[in-house]
Amino acid sequence: MQKPHILIVEDEEVTRFNLRNLFEAEGYQVSEATDGESMEKQLQQNAINLVIMDINLPGKNGLLLARELTDNRELGLIFLTGRDSDIDKILGLEIGADDYLTKPFNPRELTIRARNILSRISQTKSDSDKAVITFNQWVLDGNSRKMTSPEGGVVAIPRGEYRALRLLIENAGQIVTRQQLIKEMTGRDLRSNDRTVDVTIRRLRKHFESIEGATEMINTIHGEGYRFIGSVD
Ligand code: CA
């Protein structure tokens, strides 16, 4: 099997150098970029599986660059940020970053996250993940990862949102814990003050609420998790 290829997008030379060493020691193929332009070049020249991107870059910052990655569906994305305040922005992106770490981070933690995301991406290619599910006249297509509303509007949903929604639907009527959801989305465990799941649910609800007279489909079960209450066909 070919080694997964990681692209590090970071303008700080020392950090970039350390990240390269870290991932090469783990057996990955590693490429580097320092800004949006060189990132684009690397993406065109190499079959990149995972991008690890610092938010603070010269020129376009990482948040803007992430929007340009949306076409590449099988690409994982982990953000590095120095500020907690960036986290909601990261999670709110259309692309739905797969995960994030705040600096200074533990190198082991980063390699574990990277491995989890890469395994999530390869699993997404499996057949069961590509099912077409219909509920309350919505159609969720796992092949294209697009959702069609009862009115015919089509919305592309990021991998994390897709996986969370699928898990909720598969367990319709039952409580799915935040831990189960984060595990399904990122392969990792829930951390303290982890807003990833809640932001993801908020985004899913927003899709549903875009339809006039929408019925609530995801219940919050305080202190436990969420429950899908739509009717699955
Ligand atoms: Ca930087």
Side-chain angles (χ1 to χ4, degrees), residues 132-201:
V132 175
I133 304 170
T134 55
F135 57 93
N136 293 48
Q137 296 176 338
W138 284 79
V139 179
L140 178 66
D141 184 348
N143 252 309
S144 56
R145 227 181 292 131
K146 280 180 179 155
M147 196 156 66
T148 309
S149 77
E151 293 171 349
V154 179
V155 53
I157 62 174
R159 184 167 38 240
E161 280 177 49
Y162 172 74
R163 295 194 79 97
L165 179 57
R166 224 182 48 130
L167 185 67
L168 285 165
I169 291 174
E170 282 168 0
N171 294 282
Q174 296 168 49
I175 297 170
V176 180
T177 64
R178 293 163 79 243
Q179 163 65 21
Q180 286 172 310
L181 285 161
I182 195 82
K183 197 87 191 172
E184 176 71 14
M185 289 164 57
T186 65
R188 64 171 169 82
D189 292 325
L190 199 65
R191 287 171 283 162
S192 59
N193 301 318
D194 197 336
R195 300 199 293 274
T196 311
V197 170
D198 309 286
V199 174
T200 302
I201 299 293

Side-chain angles (χ1 to χ4, degrees), residues 2 19 37 63 96 113 120 148 159-160 204 220:
Q2 212 176 346
L19 288 172
E37 210 174 308
L63 295 168
R113 300 279 182 93
R120 279 285 165 286
T148 309
R159 184 167 38 240
L204 283 169
T220 303

